[in-house]
Amino acid sequence: MIVKRVEGLFNSAEILYEFIREREGHSLEFIINFRKYLITQFKSQIGTVGKLSAAETAILSSKFEEILTSGDDYIRYFFPEGKNLLNIVTKE
């Protein structure tokens, strides 16, 4: 299901954040590219929303909002815009 794929993308961001934090360093270029990759993948997943039922779309939006407003460190690290990421992802 699409929600599981979106959760998986956020999980990969969390794992990478922990890796970077443990090593106390990162490559800014890598972080920027990883963020671009995630946003592209989110857009791809959101792009399939038209193929989802209204209930599935509501679940996906709710999950996105739940994750982005969680206050987790990795969310603030990769997505400083927080809840507004959903607007970025859904813009054409």
Side-chain angles (χ1 to χ4, degrees):
M1 180 177 196
I2 192 170
V3 172
K4 293 289 182 196
R5 284 183 253 158
V6 167
E7 287 175 335
L9 290 169
F10 279 114
N11 287 341
S12 67
E14 183 175 18
I15 291 166
L16 180 60
Y17 171 75
E18 291 300 324
F19 179 83
I20 291 166
R21 191 176 61 82
E22 288 173 6
R23 281 147 188 83
E24 298 178 357
H26 65 274
S27 159
L28 185 57
E29 181 180 6
F30 178 79
I31 298 304
I32 291 169
N33 287 332
F34 183 71
R35 179 184 151 82
K36 285 179 187 176
Y37 164 78
L38 287 174
I39 289 175
T40 299
Q41 292 304 308
F42 289 138
K43 284 184 178 193
S44 173
Q45 296 305 315
I46 298 294
T48 64
V49 166
K51 301 172 188 169
L52 301 176
S53 69
E56 290 172 318
T57 300
I59 290 169
L60 178 60
S61 294
S62 175
K63 178 54 74 175
F64 228 91
E65 186 168 337
E66 173 190 327
I67 291 170
L68 291 173
T69 58
S70 68
D72 289 341
D73 290 341
Y74 81 96
I75 294 295
R76 289 192 304 269
Y77 187 77
F78 286 110
F79 311 110
E81 62 277 279
K83 191 174 172 181
N84 291 327
L85 177 65
L86 189 55
N87 293 332
I88 293 168
V89 169
T90 56
K91 286 184 181 176
E92 294 293 326

